[in-house]
Amino acid sequence: MAQDFLRLARAEALERRDMKTLDLIAVLHQAADEMYQASKQRGMRIERDLPDDPMWVTGDFESIERCAINLLQNAVTYGLPDSIIVLGAEVIHRHRNERGLVRFWIENEADALRPEELARLFEKFRRGQQAEQTQHRGKGSGLGLYYVRTVAERHGGHIGVDGSTGGKIRFWFELPLTENSDTSGTSE
């Protein structure tokens, strides 16, 4: 738990001026490699839906990698055994003249989250009902998703979740592309 508080304090202190240009795809591959053994132990497979070309963002490598690991770890912990976890990324343009955002996501098969859980999921010391009612009770600090939200905000991005009806749940993390990124082949 002490490590969680230290990571959170570091995330809260992140400054844009200290961030560097980095390839988000390389960060995501490293996070998936880190979670390979844990997913294998639950009979799960991490499938990568990542482009071959780099996606350049300005950020803190360690913090973004920890966010991806946290989201993958939640998918492994709370997802259905013997299922597939998908780690993907894409460039999003909401407006024609906009620089664009990179969105990465982790999608897995899991029980539905209730609306009241969704509303408070990214708050400090919050844990989902499933964590409180299952064998995961007492494990974790309730800081994981709050940490992810904090890092996203410090990077000028956003975090969210889709798929609260059951079946599949997708957590996503958005970051602005760097100004010199090539955004050819992107979605609108």
Side-chain angles (χ1 to χ4, degrees), residues 51-55 89-93 99 101 177 181-188:
D52 293 331
D53 294 330
M55 289 183 168
E90 65 185 336
V91 174
I92 299 170
H93 289 284
R99 178 173 63 198
L101 301 169
L177 280 168
S181 292
D182 175 16
T183 59
S184 59
T186 59
S187 63
E188 288 190 33

Side-chain angles (χ1 to χ4, degrees), residues 158-179:
H158 304 282
I159 179 80
V161 61
D162 299 323
S164 61
T165 58
K168 295 208 183 280
I169 292 182
R170 178 182 282 201
F171 282 88
W172 52 266
F173 187 109
E174 290 178 347
L175 294 167
L177 280 168
T178 58
E179 291 185 31

